[in-house]
């Protein structure tokens, strides 16, 4: 037990987080690691994600169980996810993590929306939709995030609110494991839990959960934060051609050339000539992409998540030496200062490119909704979107208070312009009207339009709203709202799904329609909504070893060799017949393609837009082999974000001559979507 004695001294440090030094000093190893209250069973009517069948507490006896009580709009909750990922990796045999999602916002309580978040953040443990707060109440949770730990005998031993660092988990869990192994090595069940992971993969579009977008009229370019592909995509506004990609798509914090640099959930973008500034959320850094030299460097943040607030208004002379906390958006003002929405500290920052100074500029760091006070005394709640209107006026989307607020630097004042004007974080909804009456729901984006209009990406309402110039009311401009959907057209039919970013250029609003994995275009003159379809989507395909594809086809093998085909020489065709599952369709947002080649190279190709498709080919007399390659993108009706990719290669030996009567080769593909 000598190692355990050493551990107990370490646990005193750990319990500074879990419960305080005075409490820790009074606890023995038995009190630290053995609970006294049997962990309550789960209600029977919960929706589970990442697991085939619902779990039971009785079935988890033998495992150390960590409950993570969270809600997906909460940035502090998002900070816990990578910490638990480390725990799962180190203690894969002994520990089971269960996410208990007790939603703050109505939109967060929908299982399909939660499923998308699980995919977006690559969560690899079971998650419960606890939208009725049944599990929350049974453990006495009071705040997001909250952690509860159950010992391997099935008794609840710890509950603690707030973010907990990995080192604390590591100290405590290693001690608990040693404690029970000393008693009886059979107490802990080291058989890993079998999961059925949702998987974050290719949705059948070139993008994956794009968070922010920047349209630059001067250079005719569109910059897209392809957030869950961990890269920035640059496209031509006119031709819609993908021009360049910043980042390898691997998750990381590496500087270097565009091909080798890595990001971790990048979001906001700001352009100054050939310099693109990037809010790299999970790297807790501001990155700079030199578009001329095609290089990426870090200009602020040391890559570690900050746990302390910087002094208000006091410049930090070495910005890369400090720990930042989830920067979510960036925006230049007319003086060349870069404003930063520092969501994790509930503040706005300023970075001065000329001298490299960095400092908090709005908010005292307390998470609240306090208005009509000075910049320094104001209290923000997870600012996530920025728009500079000129004359010292900076609008920001304050997501957790569900408001749009205005930082007036000329008059040292913070006010609210949309959403609740009360000092409240739980007044939200989907209500148009005058200030004081209107309500938003976790808005993430704000942007200026022509003539002084201000547009809002009202994220959890899946709408685009507007404050007309000179007015104090908000109205819904586009989006049917509700639980989100996908459709183009005029304002009477257009639908979005949790749009997170918005940018204006030359009469067009560009919207990062996050859960639909696309960029939408809103023509303000015609009132029509369209989807930005890349003219060369193949340029954005990520190598299979860089990202895990979602799904496929579990019905057949990928390579199929046909019997020799006896054909008539001359003009013929490949006739493709697809059998899709009920309620599935070919994805219209990206081209499915059938190509035919032989040893001499490609001889024909076509876009597959229907389950019945013919591709004309010319059949030469004699014997040979054709190769047909199908790349099929298909998705479920009504849930277009749940999409799959199926790839199949046919080997077709043939003989074309006098004995051949047919001029067509029939190809059949029975598609069975993986279980989800």
């Amino acid at each position: 037990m000598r190692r355990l004695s050493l551990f107990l001294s370490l646990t005193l440090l750990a319990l500074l987080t879990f419960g305080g030094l005075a409490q820790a000093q009074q606890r023995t190893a038995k009190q630290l690691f053995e609970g006294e209250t049997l962990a309550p069973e789960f209600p029977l009517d919960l929706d589970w994600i990442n697991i085939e069948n619902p779990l039971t507490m009785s079935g988890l006896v033998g495992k150390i169980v960590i409950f993570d009580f969270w809600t997906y709009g909460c940035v502090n909750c998002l900070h816990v996810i990578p910490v638990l990922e480390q725990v799962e990796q180190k203690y894969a045999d002994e520990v089971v993590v269960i996410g208990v999602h007790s939603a703050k916002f109505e939109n967060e309580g929908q299982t399909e929306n939660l499923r998308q978040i699980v995919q977006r953040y690559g969560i690899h443990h079971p998650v419960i939709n606890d939208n009725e707060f049944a599990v929350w109440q049974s453990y006495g949770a009071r705040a997001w995030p909250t952690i509860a730990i159950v010992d391997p005998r099935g008794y609840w031993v710890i509950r603690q609110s707030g973010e907990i660092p990995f080192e604390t988990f590591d100290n405590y869990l290693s001690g608990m494991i040693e404690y029970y192994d000393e008693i009886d090595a059979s107490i802990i069940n080291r058989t890993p839990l079998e999961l059925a992971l949702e998987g974050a993969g290719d949705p059948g579009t070139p993008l994956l959960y794009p968070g922010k977008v920047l349209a630059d009229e001067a250079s005719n370019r569109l910059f897209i934060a392809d957030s869950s592909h961990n890269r920035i995509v640059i496209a031509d506004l006119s031709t819609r051609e993908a021009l360049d990609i910043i980042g390898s798509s691997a998750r990381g914090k590496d500087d270097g050339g565009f091909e080798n640099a890595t990001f971790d959930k990048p979001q906001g973008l700001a352009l100054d000539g050939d310099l693109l500034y990037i809010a790299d959320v999970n790297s807790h850094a501001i990155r700079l992409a030199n578009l001329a030299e095609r290089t990426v460097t870090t200009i602020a943040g040391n890559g570690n998540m900050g746990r302390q607030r910087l002094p208000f208004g006091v410049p930090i002379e070495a910005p890369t030496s400090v720990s930042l906390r989830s920067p979510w958006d960036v925006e230049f003002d007319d003086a060349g200062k870069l404003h930063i929405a520092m969501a994790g500290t509930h503040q706005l920052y300023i970075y001065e490119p000329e001298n490299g100074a960095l400092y908090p500029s709005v908010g005292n760091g307390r998470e609240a909704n306090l208005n009509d006070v000075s910049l320094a005394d104001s209290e923000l709640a997870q600012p996530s979107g920025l728009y500079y209107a000129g004359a010292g006026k900076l609008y920001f989307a304050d997501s957790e208070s569900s408001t749009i607020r205005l930082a007036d630097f000329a008059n040292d004042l913070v006010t609210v312009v949309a959403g609740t004007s009360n000092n409240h974080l739980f007044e939200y909804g989907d209500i148009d009207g005058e200030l004081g009456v209107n309500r938003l729901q976790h808005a993430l984006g704000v942007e200026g339009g022509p003539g002084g209009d201000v547009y809002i990406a009202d994220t959890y309402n899946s709408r685009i709203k507007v404050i007309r110039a000179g007015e104090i009311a908000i109205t819904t401009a586009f989006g049917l709202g509700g639980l989100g959907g996908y459709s183009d057209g005029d304002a009477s039919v257009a639908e979005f799904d949790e749009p997170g970013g918005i940018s204006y250029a030359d009469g067009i609003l560009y919207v990062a329609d996050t859960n639909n994995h696309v960029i939408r275009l809103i023509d303000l003159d015609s009132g029509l909504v369209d989807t930005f379809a890349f003219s060369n989507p193949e340029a954005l395909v990520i190598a299979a070893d860089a990202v895990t594809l979602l799904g496929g086809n579990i019905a057949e093998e990928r390579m199929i060799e046909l019997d020799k085909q006896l054909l008539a020489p001359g003009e013929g065709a490949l006739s493709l017949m697809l059998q899709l599952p009920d309620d599935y369709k070919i994805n219209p947002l990206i081209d499915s393609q059938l190509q035919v080649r032989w040893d001499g190279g490609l001889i024909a190709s076509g876009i597959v837009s229907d389950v019945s498709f013919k591709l004309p080919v010319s059949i030469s007399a004699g014997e040979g082999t054709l190769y047909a390659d199908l790349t099929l993108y298909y998705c479920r009706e009504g849930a277009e974000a749940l999409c799959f990719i199926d790839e199949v290669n046919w080997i077709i030996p043939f003989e074309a001559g006098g004995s051949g009567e047919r001029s067509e080769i029939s190809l059949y593909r029975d598609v069975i979507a993986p279980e989800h």
Side-chain angles (χ1 to χ4, degrees), residues 626-649:
L626 295 177
Y627 302 90
D629 306 320
L630 172 67
T631 302
L632 174 68
Y633 300 96
Y634 66 101
C635 50
R636 195 171 67 189
E637 293 274 5
E640 280 73 11
L642 184 58
C643 293
F644 304 88
I645 181 172
D646 180 25
E647 296 177 298
V648 61
N649 311 106

Side-chain angles (χ1 to χ4, degrees), residues 72 115-123 199-200 209 228 265 267 444 498 514-515:
Y72 71 73
R115 193 183 309 279
Q116 295 223 42
I117 287 294
V118 168
Q119 294 176 8
R120 187 190 309 184
Y121 289 101
I123 296 173
Y209 297 107
S228 287
K265 296 294 188 294
Q267 289 280 343
L444 290 175
E498 292 197 10
T514 303
N515 281 0

Side-chain angles (χ1 to χ4, degrees), residues 192-239:
L193 185 68
E194 291 188 12
L195 301 174
L197 297 180
E198 292 291 320
D202 194 324
T205 65
L207 307 176
L208 187 64
Y209 297 107
K212 297 289 185 184
V213 62
L214 171 65
D216 181 53
E217 186 175 338
S219 65
N220 201 44
R221 290 179 297 186
L222 185 68
F223 301 87
I224 303 166
D226 192 7
S227 303
S228 287
H229 278 151
N230 298 309
R231 64 182 182 175
I232 309 300
V233 173
I234 306 174
D236 187 288
L237 287 175
S238 302
T239 67

